[in-house]
Amino acid sequence: MKVNTSIPTFLTLICLLVLSSGCKDKTKTEEAQKKVYPSDIMSAINHWKLILGDGSNAGIAINFENKDFFYTAHDDQGNWVVYKAPNSGDTHGSSNNTRTELAQTKKWYPEMADDRLSASLKVKNVSVTGDARVAASYAVVVGQIHSADGHENEPLKIFYKKFPGQNKGSVFWNYEINTAGDDNSGRWDYSTAVWGNDMSVVGTSKNDYPSEPEDGIELVEEFSYEVNDYKGIMYL
């Protein structure tokens, strides 16, 4: 994943990206063998803290890598940051989901900032086990923003979701809204499709999958997004 941020934001990235290729001459071989850390690719990484898929907090990840969860890979297009969040990993904090993510300490304030977040990425794998009736099954979150509004709302979660046996998956924007109850018991979700289907398209039974989206995204197909928050309105 390649990420640019124009001003401080809260950023969560969870991706499964593994890319590699050979080099045809000595110069390219030497370049490929040169040590490259994720912080060499993401210049603003010092604004974020790294959470790994084993549940640990690695802090500011300058000149840091973890071969199990967070490292770099190279292909014909250049260097990439690889994030792994295996089903067998451990969770962090109050979450029930395994994650390898960069989380910035400054959140987005509604109507108080002009923020921008952009990323280019490829998803290599999603889980092949789950319950087709559960909206978040077979999915990975590739972008997330927390709002500092006192309710712990998450106005943006960008999901990539692909059902087993299908070639194309969906990318959708999900809004987690917490407006009632100290324990977020009043949470509800709103989802809208970007490519393919939104979160509401699920199976009728555990192993019954809906039709494959015609305008979806394949695994290892590069796509990009840009999020802008301007005067209280968020644009994707």
Side-chain angles (χ1 to χ4, degrees):
M1 173 173 283
K2 304 174 182 178
V3 180
N4 298 303
T5 54
S6 58
I7 63 176
T9 61
F10 180 96
L11 173 63
T12 301
L13 303 173
I14 311 173
C15 294
L16 300 171
L17 313 171
V18 181
L19 304 170
S20 63
S21 64
C23 298
K24 296 182 179 180
D25 57 44
K26 182 178 179 181
T27 300
K28 291 184 178 181
T29 299
E30 291 174 349
E31 290 177 355
Q33 291 176 345
K34 182 180 178 182
K35 185 65 174 179
V36 178
Y37 290 100
S39 56
D40 296 323
I41 300 172
M42 304 177 67
S43 59
I45 200 170
N46 58 307
H47 293 292
W48 305 324
K49 291 186 178 180
L50 173 65
I51 308 301
L52 295 174
D54 60 3
S56 64
N57 187 334
I60 305 299
I62 301 296
N63 295 335
F64 173 87
E65 68 176 3
N66 181 297
K67 286 300 184 180
D68 292 324
F69 303 109
F70 185 74
Y71 54 93
T72 62
H74 184 84
D75 69 0
D76 292 337
Q77 296 171 302
N79 293 315
W80 295 78
V81 179
V82 179
Y83 301 75
K84 284 189 174 182
N87 290 348
S88 60
D90 292 326
T91 61
H92 177 80
S94 60
S95 174
N96 294 321
N97 302 312
T98 300
R99 61 189 60 207
T100 294
E101 66 181 12
L102 289 172
Q104 192 167 10
T105 55
K106 293 186 178 180
K107 300 180 181 181
W108 286 27
Y109 286 83
E111 302 181 11
M112 294 180 62
D114 180 8
D115 297 328
R116 183 176 68 88
L117 164 67
S118 62
S120 296
L121 64 136
K122 302 178 182 183
V123 179
K124 182 179 179 182
N125 293 300
V126 294
S127 177
V128 295
T129 60
D131 188 330
R133 298 165 295 184
V134 178
S137 289
Y138 310 111
V140 60
V141 177
V142 298
Q144 180 174 324
I145 294 170
H146 283 239
S147 174
D149 59 4
H151 295 289
E152 284 301 313
N153 287 332
E154 297 178 17
L156 180 78
K157 268 190 174 182
I158 302 175
F159 280 82
Y160 176 83
K161 177 176 180 176
K162 189 186 78 68
F163 288 100
Q166 299 185 356
N167 294 319
K168 293 182 179 180
S170 298
V171 175
F172 52 86
W173 173 343
N174 191 69
Y175 189 171
E176 275 188 16
I177 306 170
N178 300 307
T179 56
D182 293 337
D183 59 353
N184 294 332
S185 60
R187 175 189 140 182
W188 57 286
D189 289 22
Y190 178 80
S191 176
T192 185
V194 179
W195 290 289
N197 302 317
D198 63 25
M199 183 178 269
S200 69
V201 179
V202 296
T204 55
S205 65
K206 182 178 180 179
N207 297 309
D208 179 40
Y209 311 126
S211 299
E212 180 176 331
E214 294 182 1
D215 61 341
I217 300 291
E218 296 182 7
L219 289 177
V220 200
E221 178 179 355
E222 182 177 350
F223 64 95
S224 301
Y225 64 78
E226 180 171 299
V227 183
N228 291 280
D229 182 23
Y230 182 65
K231 294 184 177 180
I233 299 177
M234 186 174 289
Y235 303 87
L236 173 61

PDB file of all heavy atoms in Angstrom, residues 88-115:
ATOM      1  N   SER A  88      -5.639 -16.249  12.368  1.00  0.00           N
ATOM      2  CA  SER A  88      -5.089 -16.823  13.596  1.00  0.00           C
ATOM      3  C   SER A  88      -4.394 -15.796  14.479  1.00  0.00           C
ATOM      4  O   SER A  88      -3.864 -16.143  15.532  1.00  0.00           O
ATOM      5  CB  SER A  88      -4.091 -17.927  13.245  1.00  0.00           C
ATOM      6  OG  SER A  88      -3.027 -17.402  12.452  1.00  0.00           O
ATOM      7  N   GLY A  89      -4.395 -14.530  14.074  1.00  0.00           N
ATOM      8  CA  GLY A  89      -3.734 -13.500  14.858  1.00  0.00           C
ATOM      9  C   GLY A  89      -4.515 -13.123  16.106  1.00  0.00           C
ATOM     10  O   GLY A  89      -5.623 -13.615  16.349  1.00  0.00           O
ATOM     11  N   ASP A  90      -3.937 -12.224  16.902  1.00  0.00           N
ATOM     12  CA  ASP A  90      -4.574 -11.743  18.124  1.00  0.00           C
ATOM     13  C   ASP A  90      -5.137 -10.352  17.906  1.00  0.00           C
ATOM     14  O   ASP A  90      -4.703  -9.611  17.019  1.00  0.00           O
ATOM     15  CB  ASP A  90      -3.562 -11.717  19.281  1.00  0.00           C
ATOM     16  CG  ASP A  90      -3.132 -13.118  19.701  1.00  0.00           C
ATOM     17  OD1 ASP A  90      -3.983 -14.026  19.620  1.00  0.00           O
ATOM     18  OD2 ASP A  90      -1.968 -13.291  20.086  1.00  0.00           O
ATOM     19  N   THR A  91      -6.088  -9.978  18.741  1.00  0.00           N
ATOM     20  CA  THR A  91      -6.737  -8.675  18.616  1.00  0.00           C
ATOM     21  C   THR A  91      -6.068  -7.656  19.528  1.00  0.00           C
ATOM     22  O   THR A  91      -5.245  -7.980  20.369  1.00  0.00           O
ATOM     23  CB  THR A  91      -8.224  -8.774  18.955  1.00  0.00           C
ATOM     24  OG1 THR A  91      -8.369  -9.214  20.318  1.00  0.00           O
ATOM     25  CG2 THR A  91      -8.919  -9.771  18.042  1.00  0.00           C
ATOM     26  N   HIS A  92      -6.458  -6.400  19.331  1.00  0.00           N
ATOM     27  CA  HIS A  92      -5.883  -5.303  20.105  1.00  0.00           C
ATOM     28  C   HIS A  92      -7.014  -4.482  20.712  1.00  0.00           C
ATOM     29  O   HIS A  92      -8.012  -4.203  20.053  1.00  0.00           O
ATOM     30  CB  HIS A  92      -5.026  -4.414  19.202  1.00  0.00           C
ATOM     31  CG  HIS A  92      -4.447  -3.219  19.895  1.00  0.00           C
ATOM     32  ND1 HIS A  92      -3.322  -3.298  20.687  1.00  0.00           N
ATOM     33  CD2 HIS A  92      -4.841  -1.924  19.940  1.00  0.00           C
ATOM     34  CE1 HIS A  92      -3.044  -2.104  21.177  1.00  0.00           C
ATOM     35  NE2 HIS A  92      -3.945  -1.258  20.735  1.00  0.00           N
ATOM     36  N   GLY A  93      -6.848  -4.089  21.975  1.00  0.00           N
ATOM     37  CA  GLY A  93      -7.853  -3.263  22.628  1.00  0.00           C
ATOM     38  C   GLY A  93      -9.179  -3.974  22.752  1.00  0.00           C
ATOM     39  O   GLY A  93      -9.241  -5.165  23.082  1.00  0.00           O
ATOM     40  N   SER A  94     -10.265  -3.265  22.474  1.00  0.00           N
ATOM     41  CA  SER A  94     -11.607  -3.823  22.614  1.00  0.00           C
ATOM     42  C   SER A  94     -12.116  -4.475  21.330  1.00  0.00           C
ATOM     43  O   SER A  94     -13.244  -4.959  21.277  1.00  0.00           O
ATOM     44  CB  SER A  94     -12.588  -2.717  23.043  1.00  0.00           C
ATOM     45  OG  SER A  94     -12.618  -1.681  22.077  1.00  0.00           O
ATOM     46  N   SER A  95     -11.297  -4.484  20.293  1.00  0.00           N
ATOM     47  CA  SER A  95     -11.732  -5.027  19.009  1.00  0.00           C
ATOM     48  C   SER A  95     -11.807  -6.543  19.032  1.00  0.00           C
ATOM     49  O   SER A  95     -11.042  -7.217  19.726  1.00  0.00           O
ATOM     50  CB  SER A  95     -10.780  -4.580  17.898  1.00  0.00           C
ATOM     51  OG  SER A  95     -11.114  -5.208  16.679  1.00  0.00           O
ATOM     52  N   ASN A  96     -12.709  -7.091  18.231  1.00  0.00           N
ATOM     53  CA  ASN A  96     -12.800  -8.537  18.041  1.00  0.00           C
ATOM     54  C   ASN A  96     -12.094  -8.987  16.768  1.00  0.00           C
ATOM     55  O   ASN A  96     -12.115 -10.168  16.443  1.00  0.00           O
ATOM     56  CB  ASN A  96     -14.272  -8.964  17.972  1.00  0.00           C
ATOM     57  CG  ASN A  96     -14.994  -8.750  19.284  1.00  0.00           C
ATOM     58  OD1 ASN A  96     -14.435  -8.978  20.348  1.00  0.00           O
ATOM     59  ND2 ASN A  96     -16.245  -8.309  19.202  1.00  0.00           N
ATOM     60  N   ASN A  97     -11.507  -8.045  16.040  1.00  0.00           N
ATOM     61  CA  ASN A  97     -10.929  -8.346  14.739  1.00  0.00           C
ATOM     62  C   ASN A  97      -9.409  -8.251  14.763  1.00  0.00           C
ATOM     63  O   ASN A  97      -8.838  -7.311  15.313  1.00  0.00           O
ATOM     64  CB  ASN A  97     -11.470  -7.367  13.684  1.00  0.00           C
ATOM     65  CG  ASN A  97     -12.974  -7.414  13.574  1.00  0.00           C
ATOM     66  OD1 ASN A  97     -13.547  -8.498  13.480  1.00  0.00           O
ATOM     67  ND2 ASN A  97     -13.618  -6.265  13.594  1.00  0.00           N
ATOM     68  N   THR A  98      -8.759  -9.227  14.135  1.00  0.00           N
ATOM     69  CA  THR A  98      -7.313  -9.155  13.954  1.00  0.00           C
ATOM     70  C   THR A  98      -6.991  -8.015  13.009  1.00  0.00           C
ATOM     71  O   THR A  98      -7.679  -7.808  12.012  1.00  0.00           O
ATOM     72  CB  THR A  98      -6.787 -10.476  13.372  1.00  0.00           C
ATOM     73  OG1 THR A  98      -7.107 -11.534  14.268  1.00  0.00           O
ATOM     74  CG2 THR A  98      -5.286 -10.416  13.172  1.00  0.00           C
ATOM     75  N   ARG A  99      -5.915  -7.294  13.302  1.00  0.00           N
ATOM     76  CA  ARG A  99      -5.574  -6.159  12.461  1.00  0.00           C
ATOM     77  C   ARG A  99      -4.081  -5.881  12.480  1.00  0.00           C
ATOM     78  O   ARG A  99      -3.402  -6.080  13.481  1.00  0.00           O
ATOM     79  CB  ARG A  99      -6.313  -4.907  12.934  1.00  0.00           C
ATOM     80  CG  ARG A  99      -5.960  -4.502  14.374  1.00  0.00           C
ATOM     81  CD  ARG A  99      -6.880  -3.403  14.878  1.00  0.00           C
ATOM     82  NE  ARG A  99      -8.259  -3.842  14.865  1.00  0.00           N
ATOM     83  CZ  ARG A  99      -9.309  -3.007  14.740  1.00  0.00           C
ATOM     84  NH1 ARG A  99      -9.118  -1.718  14.638  1.00  0.00           N
ATOM     85  NH2 ARG A  99     -10.536  -3.486  14.742  1.00  0.00           N
ATOM     86  N   THR A 100      -3.561  -5.483  11.356  1.00  0.00           N
ATOM     87  CA  THR A 100      -2.269  -4.812  11.282  1.00  0.00           C
ATOM     88  C   THR A 100      -2.568  -3.448  10.704  1.00  0.00           C
ATOM     89  O   THR A 100      -3.062  -3.341   9.577  1.00  0.00           O
ATOM     90  CB  THR A 100      -1.284  -5.591  10.387  1.00  0.00           C
ATOM     91  OG1 THR A 100      -0.982  -6.842  11.007  1.00  0.00           O
ATOM     92  CG2 THR A 100       0.008  -4.815  10.208  1.00  0.00           C
ATOM     93  N   GLU A 101      -2.319  -2.421  11.489  1.00  0.00           N
ATOM     94  CA  GLU A 101      -2.798  -1.099  11.090  1.00  0.00           C
ATOM     95  C   GLU A 101      -1.872  -0.001  11.571  1.00  0.00           C
ATOM     96  O   GLU A 101      -1.132  -0.151  12.536  1.00  0.00           O
ATOM     97  CB  GLU A 101      -4.192  -0.847  11.658  1.00  0.00           C
ATOM     98  CG  GLU A 101      -4.226  -0.745  13.182  1.00  0.00           C
ATOM     99  CD  GLU A 101      -5.624  -0.527  13.740  1.00  0.00           C
ATOM    100  OE1 GLU A 101      -6.585  -0.675  12.970  1.00  0.00           O
ATOM    101  OE2 GLU A 101      -5.741  -0.207  14.920  1.00  0.00           O
ATOM    102  N   LEU A 102      -1.935   1.117  10.853  1.00  0.00           N
ATOM    103  CA  LEU A 102      -1.319   2.356  11.290  1.00  0.00           C
ATOM    104  C   LEU A 102      -2.424   3.257  11.803  1.00  0.00           C
ATOM    105  O   LEU A 102      -3.365   3.568  11.073  1.00  0.00           O
ATOM    106  CB  LEU A 102      -0.577   3.035  10.137  1.00  0.00           C
ATOM    107  CG  LEU A 102       0.710   2.346   9.681  1.00  0.00           C
ATOM    108  CD1 LEU A 102       1.231   3.000   8.409  1.00  0.00           C
ATOM    109  CD2 LEU A 102       1.770   2.404  10.766  1.00  0.00           C
ATOM    110  N   ALA A 103      -2.339   3.662  13.057  1.00  0.00           N
ATOM    111  CA  ALA A 103      -3.379   4.492  13.674  1.00  0.00           C
ATOM    112  C   ALA A 103      -2.758   5.805  14.149  1.00  0.00           C
ATOM    113  O   ALA A 103      -1.867   5.794  14.991  1.00  0.00           O
ATOM    114  CB  ALA A 103      -4.016   3.751  14.851  1.00  0.00           C
ATOM    115  N   GLN A 104      -3.229   6.903  13.597  1.00  0.00           N
ATOM    116  CA  GLN A 104      -2.696   8.195  14.003  1.00  0.00           C
ATOM    117  C   GLN A 104      -3.416   8.695  15.245  1.00  0.00           C
ATOM    118  O   GLN A 104      -4.607   8.464  15.433  1.00  0.00           O
ATOM    119  CB  GLN A 104      -2.831   9.220  12.876  1.00  0.00           C
ATOM    120  CG  GLN A 104      -2.038  10.493  13.138  1.00  0.00           C
ATOM    121  CD  GLN A 104      -1.914  11.348  11.907  1.00  0.00           C
ATOM    122  OE1 GLN A 104      -2.556  11.095  10.914  1.00  0.00           O
ATOM    123  NE2 GLN A 104      -1.084  12.358  11.962  1.00  0.00           N
ATOM    124  N   THR A 105      -2.686   9.378  16.109  1.00  0.00           N
ATOM    125  CA  THR A 105      -3.242   9.808  17.389  1.00  0.00           C
ATOM    126  C   THR A 105      -4.240  10.942  17.234  1.00  0.00           C
ATOM    127  O   THR A 105      -5.111  11.111  18.079  1.00  0.00           O
ATOM    128  CB  THR A 105      -2.116  10.248  18.334  1.00  0.00           C
ATOM    129  OG1 THR A 105      -1.336  11.267  17.699  1.00  0.00           O
ATOM    130  CG2 THR A 105      -1.223   9.065  18.665  1.00  0.00           C
ATOM    131  N   LYS A 106      -4.147  11.715  16.183  1.00  0.00           N
ATOM    132  CA  LYS A 106      -5.092  12.815  15.966  1.00  0.00           C
ATOM    133  C   LYS A 106      -6.254  12.338  15.115  1.00  0.00           C
ATOM    134  O   LYS A 106      -6.084  11.859  14.003  1.00  0.00           O
ATOM    135  CB  LYS A 106      -4.389  13.993  15.288  1.00  0.00           C
ATOM    136  CG  LYS A 106      -3.345  14.669  16.166  1.00  0.00           C
ATOM    137  CD  LYS A 106      -2.787  15.916  15.507  1.00  0.00           C
ATOM    138  CE  LYS A 106      -1.793  16.612  16.412  1.00  0.00           C
ATOM    139  NZ  LYS A 106      -1.234  17.837  15.789  1.00  0.00           N
ATOM    140  N   LYS A 107      -7.464  12.484  15.657  1.00  0.00           N
ATOM    141  CA  LYS A 107      -8.659  12.072  14.939  1.00  0.00           C
ATOM    142  C   LYS A 107      -9.196  13.221  14.083  1.00  0.00           C
ATOM    143  O   LYS A 107      -8.752  14.351  14.192  1.00  0.00           O
ATOM    144  CB  LYS A 107      -9.725  11.601  15.930  1.00  0.00           C
ATOM    145  CG  LYS A 107      -9.274  10.423  16.786  1.00  0.00           C
ATOM    146  CD  LYS A 107     -10.361   9.984  17.745  1.00  0.00           C
ATOM    147  CE  LYS A 107      -9.891   8.820  18.610  1.00  0.00           C
ATOM    148  NZ  LYS A 107     -10.948   8.358  19.532  1.00  0.00           N
ATOM    149  N   TRP A 108     -10.185  12.914  13.263  1.00  0.00           N
ATOM    150  CA  TRP A 108     -10.796  13.933  12.415  1.00  0.00           C
ATOM    151  C   TRP A 108     -11.941  14.595  13.170  1.00  0.00           C
ATOM    152  O   TRP A 108     -12.825  13.921  13.696  1.00  0.00           O
ATOM    153  CB  TRP A 108     -11.335  13.293  11.130  1.00  0.00           C
ATOM    154  CG  TRP A 108     -10.250  12.921  10.159  1.00  0.00           C
ATOM    155  CD1 TRP A 108      -8.965  12.613  10.443  1.00  0.00           C
ATOM    156  CD2 TRP A 108     -10.392  12.815   8.740  1.00  0.00           C
ATOM    157  NE1 TRP A 108      -8.280  12.315   9.305  1.00  0.00           N
ATOM    158  CE2 TRP A 108      -9.120  12.429   8.238  1.00  0.00           C
ATOM    159  CE3 TRP A 108     -11.438  13.006   7.855  1.00  0.00           C
ATOM    160  CZ2 TRP A 108      -8.892  12.230   6.875  1.00  0.00           C
ATOM    161  CZ3 TRP A 108     -11.210  12.804   6.505  1.00  0.00           C
ATOM    162  CH2 TRP A 108      -9.953  12.430   6.017  1.00  0.00           C
ATOM    163  N   TYR A 109     -11.942  15.923  13.193  1.00  0.00           N
ATOM    164  CA  TYR A 109     -12.983  16.694  13.878  1.00  0.00           C
ATOM    165  C   TYR A 109     -13.997  17.202  12.861  1.00  0.00           C
ATOM    166  O   TYR A 109     -13.638  17.949  11.951  1.00  0.00           O
ATOM    167  CB  TYR A 109     -12.376  17.882  14.624  1.00  0.00           C
ATOM    168  CG  TYR A 109     -11.637  17.503  15.879  1.00  0.00           C
ATOM    169  CD1 TYR A 109     -10.321  17.055  15.831  1.00  0.00           C
ATOM    170  CD2 TYR A 109     -12.256  17.581  17.121  1.00  0.00           C
ATOM    171  CE1 TYR A 109      -9.644  16.692  16.985  1.00  0.00           C
ATOM    172  CE2 TYR A 109     -11.579  17.225  18.273  1.00  0.00           C
ATOM    173  CZ  TYR A 109     -10.272  16.786  18.198  1.00  0.00           C
ATOM    174  OH  TYR A 109      -9.606  16.428  19.338  1.00  0.00           O
ATOM    175  N   PRO A 110     -15.269  16.829  13.007  1.00  0.00           N
ATOM    176  CA  PRO A 110     -16.285  17.304  12.077  1.00  0.00           C
ATOM    177  C   PRO A 110     -16.358  18.825  12.064  1.00  0.00           C
ATOM    178  O   PRO A 110     -16.337  19.471  13.112  1.00  0.00           O
ATOM    179  CB  PRO A 110     -17.581  16.691  12.615  1.00  0.00           C
ATOM    180  CG  PRO A 110     -17.146  15.543  13.445  1.00  0.00           C
ATOM    181  CD  PRO A 110     -15.825  15.939  14.038  1.00  0.00           C
ATOM    182  N   GLU A 111     -16.412  19.386  10.861  1.00  0.00           N
ATOM    183  CA  GLU A 111     -16.602  20.821  10.642  1.00  0.00           C
ATOM    184  C   GLU A 111     -15.471  21.678  11.191  1.00  0.00           C
ATOM    185  O   GLU A 111     -15.610  22.895  11.285  1.00  0.00           O
ATOM    186  CB  GLU A 111     -17.941  21.290  11.240  1.00  0.00           C
ATOM    187  CG  GLU A 111     -19.146  20.553  10.676  1.00  0.00           C
ATOM    188  CD  GLU A 111     -20.456  21.045  11.257  1.00  0.00           C
ATOM    189  OE1 GLU A 111     -20.451  22.077  11.927  1.00  0.00           O
ATOM    190  OE2 GLU A 111     -21.482  20.396  11.017  1.00  0.00           O
ATOM    191  N   MET A 112     -14.343  21.063  11.547  1.00  0.00           N
ATOM    192  CA  MET A 112     -13.254  21.845  12.126  1.00  0.00           C
ATOM    193  C   MET A 112     -11.947  21.692  11.349  1.00  0.00           C
ATOM    194  O   MET A 112     -10.933  22.273  11.731  1.00  0.00           O
ATOM    195  CB  MET A 112     -13.026  21.428  13.585  1.00  0.00           C
ATOM    196  CG  MET A 112     -14.167  21.762  14.513  1.00  0.00           C
ATOM    197  SD  MET A 112     -13.844  21.258  16.221  1.00  0.00           S
ATOM    198  CE  MET A 112     -12.398  22.252  16.621  1.00  0.00           C
ATOM    199  N   ALA A 113     -11.945  20.923  10.275  1.00  0.00           N
ATOM    200  CA  ALA A 113     -10.687  20.692   9.580  1.00  0.00           C
ATOM    201  C   ALA A 113     -10.933  20.457   8.100  1.00  0.00           C
ATOM    202  O   ALA A 113     -12.039  20.165   7.662  1.00  0.00           O
ATOM    203  CB  ALA A 113      -9.966  19.496  10.190  1.00  0.00           C
ATOM    204  N   ASP A 114      -9.875  20.629   7.342  1.00  0.00           N
ATOM    205  CA  ASP A 114      -9.867  20.318   5.923  1.00  0.00           C
ATOM    206  C   ASP A 114      -8.838  19.210   5.743  1.00  0.00           C
ATOM    207  O   ASP A 114      -7.654  19.471   5.569  1.00  0.00           O
ATOM    208  CB  ASP A 114      -9.502  21.566   5.115  1.00  0.00           C
ATOM    209  CG  ASP A 114      -9.483  21.304   3.618  1.00  0.00           C
ATOM    210  OD1 ASP A 114      -9.898  20.202   3.211  1.00  0.00           O
ATOM    211  OD2 ASP A 114      -9.030  22.184   2.869  1.00  0.00           O
ATOM    212  N   ASP A 115      -9.288  17.950   5.825  1.00  0.00           N
ATOM    213  CA  ASP A 115      -8.389  16.802   5.847  1.00  0.00           C
ATOM    214  C   ASP A 115      -8.461  16.027   4.543  1.00  0.00           C
ATOM    215  O   ASP A 115      -9.486  16.006   3.871  1.00  0.00           O
ATOM    216  CB  ASP A 115      -8.755  15.852   6.993  1.00  0.00           C
ATOM    217  CG  ASP A 115      -8.601  16.503   8.349  1.00  0.00           C
ATOM    218  OD1 ASP A 115      -7.708  17.356   8.481  1.00  0.00           O
ATOM    219  OD2 ASP A 115      -9.365  16.152   9.266  1.00  0.00           O
TER     220      ASP A 115
END
